[in-house]
Amino acid sequence: MFGQKLKELRSSKNRTQQQLADYLGISRAAYSHFENSRNDPDRETIVKLADYFNVSTDYLLGRENREYQNPESKSQTVAAHIDEDVSEEEMEDILNYIEFIRQKHKKE
């Protein structure tokens, strides 16, 4: 189950096994073994993967069926796509707007 979820997440982000291996600091073959369920990653690697894909470790491990984004990860994801000159106040406005849009779509 872990390997399948990992492969689905990687594919959904249009990433290669080599890109993930580089991010984790391992060989492509070692990463491939995770996706093919030949080897299990250690705790630190699971956490890194969850952070990379912005999902919970429980989601990766098959303990819950839905992806999860915690507030810190959400702001980090937004921050990664915004110019460094954005103030704290502007960042808060952006996050509030994102939440507004999500709530609007839930009501529809």
Side-chain angles (χ1 to χ4, degrees), residues 1-106:
M1 175 160 279
F2 174 82
Q4 183 61 36
K5 285 204 185 285
L6 193 55
K7 186 174 185 176
E8 288 170 5
L9 287 166
R10 180 181 58 78
S11 294
S12 74
K13 300 284 188 188
N14 295 317
R15 300 292 189 263
T16 65
Q17 287 185 347
Q18 187 63 58
Q19 288 172 314
L20 268 290
D22 291 345
Y23 170 75
L24 296 171
I26 61 175
S27 70
R28 190 211 50 82
Y31 178 82
S32 176
H33 287 187
F34 297 155
E35 283 191 7
N36 294 312
S37 300
R38 289 189 193 118
N39 291 334
D40 293 324
D42 61 17
R43 180 187 173 281
E44 181 181 332
T45 301
I46 293 171
V47 170
K48 277 181 154 180
L49 288 165
D51 288 346
Y52 184 87
F53 291 116
N54 198 25
V55 298
S56 71
T57 54
D58 279 347
Y59 178 78
L60 274 179
L61 296 171
R63 296 187 60 189
E64 62 183 35
N65 292 328
R66 61 185 172 82
E67 294 184 32
Y68 169 82
Q69 294 180 322
N70 65 37
E72 287 181 20
S73 295
K74 190 185 327 176
S75 65
Q76 289 169 354
T77 300
V78 171
H81 298 335
I82 296 177
D83 189 353
E84 292 179 8
D85 293 333
V86 174
S87 71
E88 290 286 327
E89 185 177 311
E90 290 168 324
M91 180 62 75
E92 187 62 33
D93 287 345
I94 291 166
L95 292 172
N96 287 336
Y97 182 71
I98 290 169
E99 188 58 33
F100 168 77
I101 295 297
R102 286 188 174 150
Q103 293 302 318
K104 178 182 172 192
H105 288 282
K106 285 181 183 177

